[in-house]
Amino acid sequence: SPTENFYDAVGGEDTFRRVVARFYVEVAADELLRPMYPEQDLGPAEDRLRLFLMQYWGGPHTYSDQRGHPRLRMRHQPFTIGPNERDAWLRCMRIAVDAAGLSDAHRARLWQYLEMAANSMLNSWV
Ligand code: HEM
């Protein structure tokens, strides 16, 4: 329908669950990214990223109910995110997005946002 948002159009929670689960499979195997995650169990980080993305694209506001205002740049300050970390994050995310079976238009829109967001998280130039 014309009023359907992106969240619903791509398949709702199931789609975000698949994308973010695959993303963390890639993170778990990434030598640069894996050591950055403070918790041994990546499950809670997976929940936070999934809930954030669901909320961003028009789904339920569970992320902010649990975590408050996203303030993502501030929340990433404890981690050194230079070009290498950004590239590794995007490489993992690319695999996850490509595996999700979205239409070309949906995939392009999601990817454009993720690239912009990853660039906005840079806080180091080494
Ligand atoms: C949290 C790394 C980009 C969304 C985190 C955490 C790390 C991290 C290490 C802490 C794990 C946790 O406890 O949740 C990175 C790196 C990035 C990146 C290396 C490279 C550019 C992004 C982008 C987004 C994002 C582009 C959104 C589109 C989040 C969210 C959290 C998080 C929602 C949890 C925040 C909270 O509620 O505490 N990230 N991140 N990250 N990241 Fe990223």
Side-chain angles (χ1 to χ4, degrees), residues 1 4 9 29 31 47 72 83 85-86 93 95 105 115 119-120:
S1 89
E4 189 179 53
E31 289 180 2
D47 291 342
L72 286 188
E85 288 77 14
R86 175 204 54 195
M93 192 53 91
I95 292 168
E115 268 194 314
N119 279 311
S120 80

Side-chain angles (χ1 to χ4, degrees), residues 1-12:
S1 89
T3 60
E4 189 179 53
N5 64 27
F6 187 87
Y7 173 79
D8 291 321
V10 299

Side-chain angles (χ1 to χ4, degrees), residues 51-64:
L51 290 172
F52 170 78
L53 291 172
M54 287 168 57
Q55 174 173 306
Y56 177 85
W57 289 104
H61 282 225
T62 315
Y63 176 84
S64 282

